[in-house]
Structure formats: structure tokens, C-alpha cells
Amino acid sequence: LTIAQSRNIEISCVILIFMYMLLQFGDDGFFPSFFFYRGYKRWIHASQCSILIMFLVSVLIDNTTFNPFFRMAILGTFLRGFQRELLTLLKMLPDVIYVLSMLGIIVIFYAWFGVVMFVDTAQGRAFPNLLEGMWTLWISVTTANYPDVSMDSYSENRLVAIFWVSFMSVSFFYIMNLILAVCAQQYDKSINDRKVSREKLANELLSKAFTLLDSENRGFVSRECVMNVMAILNRDIPEVRSMSTDKKSIFYALLDKDGSDSICLEEFLDIGVVLLLNLSKEADYATWVETKFPSVYQSEWYTRLSEAVKSNRFDAAIDVILVLNAITIFMQDYSMLMGRDTASESLKWEKLE
């Protein structure tokens, strides 16, 4: 693509994103207070508008230096998963920085020691000054140049291994694993916090919904009211599966734990869990004997026969028979596999089989 074609494509993409945001704005009734609602929604929509404006200005003035960063930022504002993981990363930074500071102190100490110890030696090329020594040791922590970087000094004196082994033991085997443990712990904590936050928000919203439904402050809502709510959810909420009348009755029965034919607040808070249940209807299976010969099926000898066939001993007997059959087949073909003409032996094993 030419520069002009690339510029036109970028402008077209920005216009399409603006049109999409305009539709979102219209979905909020063209009310800025709804579109920039306080909290998470306000930050996301404000970021989208700001980045798009900067991106459009950058394209119009032919300053493409920051355009790749604008593209990634715009994409990030539309990806909820990316935003969630980025927030998790920002939350774990304080703990990770604390551990990284420990690693930095160790690297500085060993780099200082290396500059002094390896002066006027072949290994000194990797430790000409403190900054170069720190860079060398940092690369060693990633194992990109280790153990090659230590070979010059190790070839001259085997005791230098104490320097390198102690550094790698502390930095790579301890500090790096500590960083991994901190990240894993913080990530698990973030997942639990998100779960608690979602449950808290769900309970708050369901409590508000219950208050609106219980307009007379009786402390419960009737069956008819709950059925009407399910009908509205079935019609207007695509996330809720289509519910038949039977399913609605089953869902209501699951909600009405005390059998009072009314739903209190504690029961109403479980409506989200109940609606996520996937109900399936299974027909009762009947065997051919049960269908055609019910008297035989109900007889005592047939019951004992069914129990014997379903027992573990019957399974074990079948396994033994199969093993003996496999041994017989092997013995029947053994002579043939060994290259001997033994038609009489084969016939004998066939009779046995």
C-alpha cells in the first residue's frame, strides 16, 4: 500500500469506530450523563473518545510516529479481558517491585564485586565498569549468556565458580521463583476479589429489583409477579434461554424453597443461579423383555438372572473367558508363525476353541 492508501484506510477505520460509538451513545438515549456514567464506564468511554481524537489528528497532520500505539490503545479499550488482566497486572506491581528491588540490590553488589575482582583479566571484558557489569549479570539471570559468560574466569581459576554459582542460586533459583510465586498469588487473589465483587454487585442489583417488585413492602413477591419477570427476561434478554411454561414452573419451584408459594428476598437472590440451570427431559428406558413380557420381567428367576449379569463376578468371568480364548488362538497359530507345518495341531486347537 502507498502512504496515501494507508492514510485513507486509517481515516476510514477511525470513522467506523466513531459511528459505532455514536450508536452506543444513541443506545443511552443521547444523554451524556448515561454515556459517561460514573465509574468504569466513564473512564472507558472518555479514553476511547480521547484516543480517537488524538489518532485522527495524528493521521490528518501525517504524523505517524505514535499511530501504532494509538491503534493498540483503541483495541485495548474495547477488549474487556485485556482491561481486566491489565488491572490485575497494575495491582500486583507493588509486590513485584519490592521483590525486584531485592534482585537489583543483589545485581549491584555482585557487579561491584566483579568489577573489582576481574580487573586486568579476560573476564574483565564483561565487567569494564559497574553499569556494564550489572547488564552482564542481568542477562545471566535470564540464562541467555550463562554459563558461557563465566568460562574465561573459570578457565583461569576454578574457585571463581563460587562467585557465579552463588549469584545464580540467589538470583535465578530463589528471586525469580519468588517473583513467580508473588505473581501467582496476586493473580489468584485478584480472581477471588473479582468473584466477590461480582457476587456483591449481583446481590445489590437483585435487592433493588426485589424492592421494586415488592411495592407494598410485604417482604415477599407473589408467584404471578415472578412469572411475569421470567416472561420479560425470556423476551428481552438474549442471554436467558427460551423458557417454556413447564420450565418456568420448575424454576419457580426451585426458588420457592420453603413451599410458601411466594418468594422472599433470600430466595429471590438465587434467581440468577436458577436461570443458569440447563434442564433436560429424559424418557424412562424400558427393556424389550419389560415391554413385551412384563410377567417374565417381574418373575423371581429373571430378577436373579439380571442381578447375576450385572454383578462384578459376571464381568470377571467374561474377562477370564476372553483371556482363555486369546491364549487358544495364539497356541493355534504359534506353529504357523514359527514356520512349521502343523495342520493336525491347528485342527486340535480349533476343536478346543
Side-chain angles (χ1 to χ4, degrees), residues 258-327:
D258 57 2
S260 61
D261 202 31
S262 61
I263 304 299
C264 63
L265 175 60
E266 183 180 356
E267 294 171 337
F268 190 78
L269 293 178
D270 294 331
I271 190 171
V273 178
V274 171
L275 291 178
L276 290 176
L277 296 177
N278 187 16
L279 303 179
S280 60
K281 186 176 181 180
E282 297 181 359
D284 296 331
Y285 174 75
T287 62
W288 182 80
V289 175
E290 183 182 1
T291 304
K292 301 297 182 181
F293 304 99
S295 59
V296 174
Y297 179 79
Q298 296 174 2
S299 63
E300 184 178 354
W301 68 270
Y302 188 83
T303 302
R304 290 198 300 268
L305 177 62
S306 299
E307 293 176 353
V309 171
K310 296 176 182 178
S311 65
N312 294 331
R313 291 183 178 180
F314 185 80
D315 289 341
I318 295 297
D319 293 338
V320 171
I321 293 173
L322 292 175
V323 171
L324 292 176
N325 184 58
I327 294 174

Side-chain angles (χ1 to χ4, degrees), residues 110 118 123 127 135-154 158 160-173:
Y110 273 85
F118 298 130
Q123 188 69 65
F127 293 87
W135 181 248
T136 299
L137 292 177
W138 171 248
I139 298 176
S140 298
V141 173
T142 65
T143 68
N145 63 353
Y146 185 82
D148 297 342
V149 69
S150 64
M151 288 297 102
D152 291 336
S153 58
Y154 185 74
R158 295 294 190 265
V160 177
I162 299 175
F163 173 84
W164 293 104
V165 172
S166 62
F167 173 75
M168 293 301 294
S169 298
V170 175
S171 62
F172 180 73
F173 292 104

